[in-house]
Amino acid sequence: MFFWFPAKAAAAVIGGAVAVGAVPVVLGAVGFTGAGITASSLAAKMMSAAAIANGGGVAAGSLVATLQSVGAAGLSLTSKVIVGSAGSALTAYMV
């Protein structure tokens, strides 16, 4: 069973890197971009629902506000470490 360790470790590293790299791609595809929320996207629908639920404005710290922040500015170092660790753990578990 020892011979699987290098392959599993390599897969875990790759999984972590892919998880961190996928976040901006997925957020951009959903509609959270650096230029703002894309019209007629899932992000626009989420923003509309959040605004209606909050009486006309999106609450600071809400899911929509957080995703827009990440879409515009990217992940912080702490967030990259957390997402990378989760991706590594999930990949190592699956391999």
Side-chain angles (χ1 to χ4, degrees), residues 25-62:
V25 173
V26 170
L27 287 178
V30 172
F32 294 103
T33 66
I37 292 181
T38 306
S40 300
S41 65
L42 178 60
K45 291 178 176 83
M46 289 174 65
M47 183 177 179
S48 174
I52 290 169
N54 289 314
V58 176
S62 67

Side-chain angles (χ1 to χ4, degrees), residues 3-38:
F3 57 90
W4 280 101
F5 182 73
K8 193 169 188 173
V13 169
I14 292 169
V18 167
V20 171
V23 169
V25 173
V26 170
L27 287 178
V30 172
F32 294 103
T33 66
I37 292 181
T38 306

